[in-house]
Each structure stands twice: as C-alpha cells, then as structure tokens.
Amino acid sequence: MSNSSSITEFFLLAFADTRELQLLHFGLFLGIYLAALLGNGLILTAVACDHRLHTPMDFFLLNLALLDLGCISTTLPKAMANALWDTRAISYQGCAAQVFFFVFFIGAEYSLLTIMAYDRYVAICKPLHYGSLVGSRACAQMAAAAWGSGFLNAVLHTATTFSLPLCQGNAVDQFFCEIPQILKLSCSDAYLREDGALVFSVSLVFVCFVFIVLSYVQIFRAVLRMPSEQGWHKTFSTCLPHLAMVSLFVSTAMVAYLKPPSISSPSLDLVVAVLYSVVPPAVNPLIYSMRNKELNHVLWKLMTRCVSEAINFHSTSADD
C-alpha cells in the first residue's frame, strides 16, 4: 500500500503505444495550442492597444482571453512534452500545481462568462441604465470577483485533494492531473471530503448556468419585440454561439466530475476532458469576436500590419 507521503510523481495517461500515434497526438495538440495562442493573443493585443475597444464587453473579452491562455497552457504543454519525449511522468508538486491553476482558470472563466451574460442582458434589456450598472468601476469589481472566486475555489480543491491519503498507486487515467482521476487513487473513505467540495462547487456552477440561461431568455424576448429583422439576426447569431459554448462547457464538466465510476472509461474520460478543457479556449476567440465588427476591423488591421512588417523584414534581410 502506498500513501501520498511516499509518492514523488504521478504517471499520466499515454495516448498511444506506438511512436507514430504519439507524434500524431503531439502534432494535433500543437496545432490546437498554437491556434489558441494566436486567437487569444490577437484579442489581447487589439483590446489593449486600440482605444475604440475600451468598452465593458471588450474589457471582459480581454479577461476571457487571459483566462483561456492560462487554462490551455496549464494542460497542453505537459501533454505535448510527454507525447514528444515518450514519457508519462509528472512530479507530485507539478501535479498539484496543475490542479491548482486549472481549477483557478476554469472557475474564474465560468464566473466571467456569467458576468458577460449579465452585461449583454443589461445592454439589450436595460440600455438606459447600462452606464450606471456596467461602468468602469463596476467592470473592475466584477472582473476582480471572477478572478478571486477562481483563486478561492482552486485553494479549496487543491488543499482538499492533496491532503487525502493515496492508496491506489500513482497512475492518473487522464492526460493532465484531473481531480476525479486523483480521487480514484485515494483510500476508500477518504475522498468523501473532496466529493462534498465538488458537489458544492458544481451546485454553484448549475446556479450560474441557470442565471446565464435566464439572461439569454430575457434577451431573446426583448429582441423578438424589436421591429427590425436585422436586429434579430445580429442578436441571435451572437448570443446562440455564446450559449452553445457555455452549454458544452458546463455539460462536459459536470459529466467529468459527477459521473458514477460504473460508467467511467479511459476513452470517455479523455473525450470529455478535451471538450471542456481544450475546445473552449481554442474556440472562444472565434465565437466571441465573430459578430464584433469593431474588433474584427482592428484584428484585420493588426494582422495586415504584422504580415507587411514580416515581408519588409524578409526583403531587407535578403538585400543585406
């Protein structure tokens, strides 16, 4: 029998047994990671550098991009390194850090998505009160609350999870250190404390999800009363993708953390983990900037300038 005091490292899930498939997984994750870095990095640069994008929604979008970068950078680089170097090991401290930062970024992001739904509700349903309800001070306070709630949630779950005695070995059946997989390694009755914390957190997630859905219902009702069909199309094409991404995030996270062990399998766990930890950070930049014409205009100018400078640099280097 082993316990947590004697464990110095964990072994993560191996994607494949053959070298070719390991390199294929590395290439796939590298492509997703670079897409997430590019999309979120462009949004950060555009919002930070252009004064026309200093609006409440763009401020929240900047925070979302930061959280997405943190979330995907917590899991994918280690998974890619393991696939590239044909190893599975992660240190005990590295696993604890991965749990902390992943829960921190995921929790803060979900709180921020709730705030962004409230922002859209006020903008569409209470436009006359928008300046007073979502002013610069209120935006800063709400963003701070989102980051703070993520931090407190991460401290709670990391401290509870890694205080448990681990008696079932050190093999984690996931490509990163995920709390439900670590709980499988704990002694029979020791995991009840963390299970209670998980149920509490998931209950809060469900309450926030209900708030998000109700906000969008109110938005849709207000839009349907508008005479302009163009306004309908613009709002629905903006809000529905947001709601779809939030629904994907919540449903897959709940499956990952609440499903009974009897229906657990490595393949199902892997697919669910990718859907809630990898897909949203990579897709959010596209979803949340899709109908933002001002942001798209700034992003296009930014990319054009980068390409132009790269061509000029290459031409200058060739002449030298």
Side-chain angles (χ1 to χ4, degrees):
M1 300 287 283
S2 62
N3 56 50
S4 55
S5 62
S6 64
I7 292 177
T8 59
E9 64 180 7
F10 293 92
F11 292 98
L12 301 175
L13 179 69
F15 287 110
D17 296 328
T18 63
R19 189 65 184 145
E20 292 77 10
L21 287 177
Q22 288 176 343
L23 294 176
L24 178 63
H25 282 102
F26 168 78
L28 178 62
F29 276 172
L30 178 62
I32 295 173
Y33 187 57
L34 291 177
L37 289 181
L38 177 62
N40 289 291
L42 284 173
I43 288 177
L44 286 174
T45 305
V47 175
C49 296
D50 198 295
H51 69 278
R52 290 171 297 178
L53 298 178
H54 293 174
T55 66
M57 189 60 181
D58 293 317
F59 172 73
F60 294 136
L61 191 58
L62 181 144
N63 280 267
L64 182 66
L66 283 172
L67 291 170
D68 279 336
L69 284 176
C71 180
I72 202 166
S73 297
T74 300
T75 58
L76 280 197
K78 180 59 179 177
M80 289 189 294
N82 283 357
L84 184 62
W85 302 113
D86 191 20
T87 182
R88 296 173 54 198
I90 183 172
S91 67
Y92 185 90
Q93 294 80 5
C95 187
Q98 202 172 57
V99 167
F100 174 82
F101 284 109
F102 182 72
V103 175
F104 169 45
F105 289 123
I106 283 288
E109 179 166 333
Y110 188 66
S111 298
L112 189 67
L113 291 174
T114 306
I115 292 169
M116 292 172 74
Y118 170 74
D119 172 76
R120 291 298 85 200
Y121 163 75
V122 175
I124 295 173
C125 299
K126 298 181 181 295
L128 298 179
H129 302 284
Y130 187 77
S132 59
L133 293 176
V134 194
S136 57
R137 183 175 180 179
C139 287
Q141 291 174 340
M142 288 188 285
W147 287 82
S149 65
F151 177 80
L152 294 176
N153 200 35
V155 169
L156 169 66
H157 287 292
T158 305
T160 306
T161 300
F162 287 91
S163 67
L164 301 176
L166 306 179
C167 309
Q168 308 295 328
N170 61 344
V172 179
D173 291 332
Q174 192 53 271
F175 70 94
F176 65 98
C177 286
E178 187 184 46
I179 290 178
Q181 303 300 330
I182 297 175
L183 293 183
K184 292 181 180 179
L185 307 179
S186 64
C187 300
S188 57
D189 297 326
Y191 62 85
L192 293 178
R193 285 177 296 168
E194 174 59 16
D195 268 0
L198 281 176
V199 169
F200 174 73
S201 294
V202 170
S203 299
L204 291 180
V205 167
F206 181 74
V207 171
C208 289
F209 181 67
V210 171
F211 176 84
I212 292 172
V213 171
L214 291 177
S215 297
Y216 280 115
V217 167
Q218 293 299 318
I219 290 171
F220 295 152
R221 289 179 61 186
V223 169
L224 290 175
R225 290 196 293 265
M226 295 179 181
S228 171
E229 292 187 7
Q230 185 178 0
W232 298 1
H233 175 72
K234 181 178 179 180
T235 304
F236 281 117
S237 61
T238 302
C239 294
L240 287 178
H242 297 186
L243 190 56
M245 189 53 59
V246 172
S247 300
L248 174 68
F249 175 76
V250 172
S251 60
T252 51
M254 283 190 169
V255 169
Y257 285 82
L258 294 182
K259 69 179 183 303
S262 59
I263 66 171
S264 180
S265 70
S267 299
L268 175 63
D269 293 343
L270 178 61
V271 171
V272 169
V274 169
L275 287 177
Y276 84 87
S277 67
V278 176
V279 172
V283 177
N284 275 342
L286 177 63
I287 294 294
Y288 285 91
S289 64
M290 185 168 54
R291 300 295 299 181
N292 191 328
K293 292 183 179 180
E294 192 68 42
L295 178 59
N296 286 333
H297 177 68
V298 174
L299 289 176
W300 178 253
K301 286 178 59 178
L302 184 64
M303 288 188 290
T304 303
R305 184 186 305 172
C306 290
V307 171
S308 177
E309 290 179 356
I311 292 174
N312 291 335
F313 177 79
H314 180 73
S315 300
T316 304
S317 300
D319 292 340
D320 293 341

